[in-house]
Amino acid sequence: MKIKRVLQGTALTALAAAAWMGAGSADASASATATGITADANGNYVLNVTGTGKEVMVGVAKVSKSGVAKVASWDVYDGTSATVDLSKLNTTVDNYIAIKDNDEKVTFIGIAAASKKNTIAFNAATGKITEVKTKVGTTDGTAAEVQYRTATSNWSAATALSAIDLAKYQYQGATLYVRVPSSSTATVGTPSVKFEDTEYNVSPVGSLPSKETKLNIAKQANGPAVTLDYTKGTAKVKKGTEYRVVGSSIVSGAAVEANGSTLDVATVLAANDAEGVLEVRTAAKVDTNVKKCKVASKWTRVLIEKPKTFTEVAGVITTNTAATTGEALATVTTGGATAIKVEYTTKKVKNVETKNGVKLTNSSALAYQYFVGSAAPTADTAAKDIKTLKAKGTRDVVANIVTTGNTKIYIRVAGDKKAKRWVGQWAELVALPEIK
């Protein structure tokens, strides 16, 4: 972006014109005039001077405390106009520029001192500049607006502090350069000077921008760790962190919530979302002392999902409550092959085999959890009552079985941290028939 901004152009021209109209006789008859300060295509400030003769002369004057001006040398520009580079001026002091053309009648231009020291208060929690203290000469003040740039960009437009948002630079961190913009109303300390025994009014044209001040924007810290328990379907977020859940169609929670607890992934997801992303970050630090404020960390993002149905993960359950010894009470079929088989176990009593229990055989590569009771487990069910059936394993489920027709076996796919597989939903595997 090329900044081609006249230093408050129209206002400055009008201000200078008004000053010249009220000048003494030494000023009124001068032919050389300055149309104001402008910024060229590269953002460098120049003074535009015009005359009526064949040459334009420009000199930087030194003015004593008593108001006496001296011009050591004159720069001669051929023609009726000159573009005077101002980059060599010390912007922290008042500058006086003398101009004339072939009639040798002089006009004095005054460029006021700009701030030589800016102190910036930056609130990292909000990404806002809250205050800029200035010093012009020995006078302290504050700036209502500033300009800023990066190491590779041009200057921004002059903007009120409240309208500047630097949060975008906090993702990766940045070094910014800040300055107080030029002013169209600033005036020099000496309103008139004496030059070669003649008194001249000084025509003010405002000030140039201030010195640059470096502002270091800290990079966001990495997000906090999130403990996922795939076997329980939970996620633990630390105290002092914030979390939100981004679903397939919505973001749960209108505002980011502060928390420090164990979340059940099934309940934090919206009702219509089978999966989503849990985002967790360390909260921003807010303090009355802006130096202690900190931006929130980056988001840690983890995929969560509601427990899938047993059929989605494991397969189809087929039951045979009339099964006799040696027959399967229930099977789980995956891809046409038997993954799980439920069978009676027996013992011999006086050379007679009788049913005394139930065993599960797992032929699949998945681990399962099972529970024996009259209803499916809930969040209040003791963990010790939920058992695990390992892959390629067999386990006796019920020993010394005596049922009244209200005993059931419930099963679900076990969670697996390594495979990042969330625990599945409970399903009724088989209702054990009454055994007398």
Side-chain angles (χ1 to χ4, degrees), residues 65 95 357:
K65 291 182 179 180
N95 286 279

Side-chain angles (χ1 to χ4, degrees), residues 115-367:
S115 176
K116 62 183 177 180
K117 182 181 179 182
N118 303 318
T119 304
I120 303 170
F122 176 69
N123 188 331
T126 61
K128 295 281 189 178
I129 295 175
T130 58
E131 185 181 51
V132 176
K133 293 182 179 180
T134 61
K135 182 178 283 292
V136 180
T138 58
T139 303
D140 294 326
T142 58
E145 58 182 19
V146 295
Q147 294 174 283
Y148 68 92
R149 66 174 177 86
T150 67
T152 57
S153 73
N154 285 328
W155 289 101
S156 70
T159 308
L161 299 187
S162 60
I164 297 174
D165 186 358
L166 303 180
K168 65 183 179 182
Y169 296 105
Q170 294 178 297
Y171 291 107
Q172 297 300 321
T175 297
L176 301 181
Y177 300 87
V178 180
R179 71 182 184 185
V180 180
S182 55
S183 168
S184 63
T185 58
T187 57
V188 291
T190 305
S192 64
V193 297
K194 191 172 185 179
F195 178 65
E196 296 180 347
D197 297 325
T198 302
E199 194 78 19
Y200 293 87
N201 288 334
V202 176
S203 301
V205 290
S207 68
L208 292 168
S210 75
K211 291 287 188 180
E212 300 176 9
T213 301
K214 188 181 292 187
L215 174 61
N216 291 316
I217 306 292
K219 177 183 178 180
Q220 280 182 302
N222 290 331
V226 180
T227 303
L228 301 178
D229 192 331
Y230 289 91
T231 64
K232 295 179 181 179
T234 60
K236 184 178 289 186
V237 295
K238 298 177 181 178
K239 184 179 180 180
T241 60
E242 299 171 319
Y243 77 88
R244 66 187 182 189
V245 180
V246 182
S248 59
S249 57
I250 62 169
V251 176
S252 70
V256 177
E257 303 172 80
N259 213 312
S261 60
T262 299
L263 310 175
D264 181 79
V265 298
T267 56
V268 296
L269 281 165
N272 61 327
D273 285 334
E275 64 179 20
V277 176
L278 174 65
E279 297 184 333
V280 181
R281 71 180 181 186
T282 303
K285 182 179 180 181
V286 180
D287 196 281
T288 53
N289 183 351
V290 294
K291 292 181 179 179
K292 295 182 179 180
C293 292
K294 291 184 178 180
V295 64
S297 73
K298 295 180 184 292
W299 289 107
T300 296
R301 305 179 75 254
V302 291
L303 182 67
I304 59 176
E305 65 178 35
K306 288 182 179 177
K308 293 182 178 179
T309 65
F310 190 81
T311 302
E312 285 181 288
V313 183
V316 179
I317 299 173
T318 303
T319 59
N320 178 15
T321 55
T324 60
T325 302
E327 295 179 323
L329 274 165
T331 58
V332 176
T333 305
T334 304
T338 299
I340 295 176
K341 184 185 293 185
V342 184
E343 301 172 282
Y344 285 118
T345 59
T346 61
K347 68 176 182 180
K348 281 188 178 182
V349 178
K350 295 181 181 181
N351 294 324
V352 177
E353 284 193 349
T354 60
K355 302 171 185 175
N356 77 323
V358 175
K359 70 176 181 178
L360 299 183
T361 301
N362 180 9
S363 303
S364 75
L366 299 178

